[in-house]
Amino acid sequence: MEERIKIRHLKLSDKTELAKLANNINIWNNLRDYIPFPYKESDAEFFIELTRKEEPKQNFGIEFNGKIAGVIGLTIQKDVYKKSAEIGYWIGEPFWGNGIATKAVELITEYGFNKLALNRVYAGVFEYNITSMKVLEKNGYKKEGIFKNAILKNDKVYDEHRFFKLNEK
């Protein structure tokens, strides 16, 4: 199964399918508000163009059986945090339950440690996104703490669960 899951550069030809997958309230409810909703092809095109200009590359498409299934990326931090990155990802709902996120997190974490020379990768997860917490734990991420009442999403306040993984090399 894992061979059918890879991360790759996004292509302009991904925009239609990417927009279709991202324009889903069940996806958006677990994302930061800077991701637009509804999500249109023009939003996908804008994002893909941004990823093409990144140096170093930090955002990738997640491919499953040759089809775009989601997006994963690392946001390298600045200043004294420049050896750390925040991981973010989403999988389109038709692809849920196939182990895709688990493999994609493994691949992007390896990329961050081996290609970007990061010391640390971390994630903030909304308290109700248990599936994402399990994905991180399966990849050896440890819970660092809970940021109480740190998130305002859909006019409700939630805790953020923070996970991390260190580069042991």
Side-chain angles (χ1 to χ4, degrees):
M1 166 85 72
E2 289 185 0
E3 312 80 51
R4 301 183 302 176
I5 302 165
K6 65 180 185 176
I7 61 174
R8 63 160 173 82
H9 298 297
L10 288 164
K11 304 176 282 200
L12 208 47
S13 59
D14 294 323
K15 74 177 180 178
T16 300
E17 193 60 27
L18 199 62
K20 192 165 79 174
L21 292 171
N23 191 35
N24 179 329
I25 194 71
N26 295 321
I27 301 293
W28 188 77
N29 281 337
N30 292 296
L31 300 177
R32 304 267 172 94
D33 284 346
Y34 68 81
I35 309 292
F37 188 80
Y39 197 92
K40 301 184 275 297
E41 276 193 38
S42 58
D43 298 314
E45 186 172 342
F46 177 78
F47 178 68
I48 291 166
E49 287 300 325
L50 280 179
T51 69
R52 294 170 93 179
K53 297 173 188 167
E54 290 175 337
E55 200 49 55
K57 298 293 183 204
Q58 296 174 63
N59 290 284
F60 300 89
I62 302 168
E63 191 175 284
F64 178 68
N65 289 338
K67 294 181 179 179
I68 193 78
V71 170
I72 193 163
L74 295 168
T75 303
I76 299 171
Q77 303 301 290
K78 298 182 182 335
D79 196 37
V80 297
Y81 301 105
K82 61 184 163 269
K83 291 302 228 170
S84 294
E86 183 175 17
I87 188 173
Y89 52 90
W90 61 265
I91 305 295
E93 193 168 5
F95 297 96
W96 290 359
N98 288 296
I100 298 168
T102 300
K103 183 63 177 178
V105 166
E106 175 189 323
L107 293 170
I108 197 86
T109 303
E110 288 173 3
Y111 172 80
F113 290 158
N114 298 331
K115 301 284 191 215
L116 301 179
L118 296 171
N119 293 333
R120 180 178 196 278
V121 177
Y122 70 93
V125 183
F126 302 173
E127 69 178 68
Y128 50 81
N129 193 347
I130 306 302
T131 301
S132 193
M133 292 182 207
K134 289 179 181 176
V135 163
L136 293 164
E137 289 168 342
K138 286 179 191 173
N139 277 285
Y141 282 71
K142 306 283 184 230
K143 187 176 283 191
E144 187 164 39
I146 299 173
F147 293 34
K148 302 303 282 179
N149 294 339
I151 293 168
L152 178 66
K153 183 70 178 181
N154 296 324
D155 296 320
K156 293 182 183 151
V157 175
Y158 297 100
D159 295 343
E160 177 186 55
H161 291 238
R162 185 70 62 98
F163 291 79
F164 76 99
K165 186 170 185 174
L166 300 178
N167 187 348
E168 302 293 341
K169 296 178 184 176

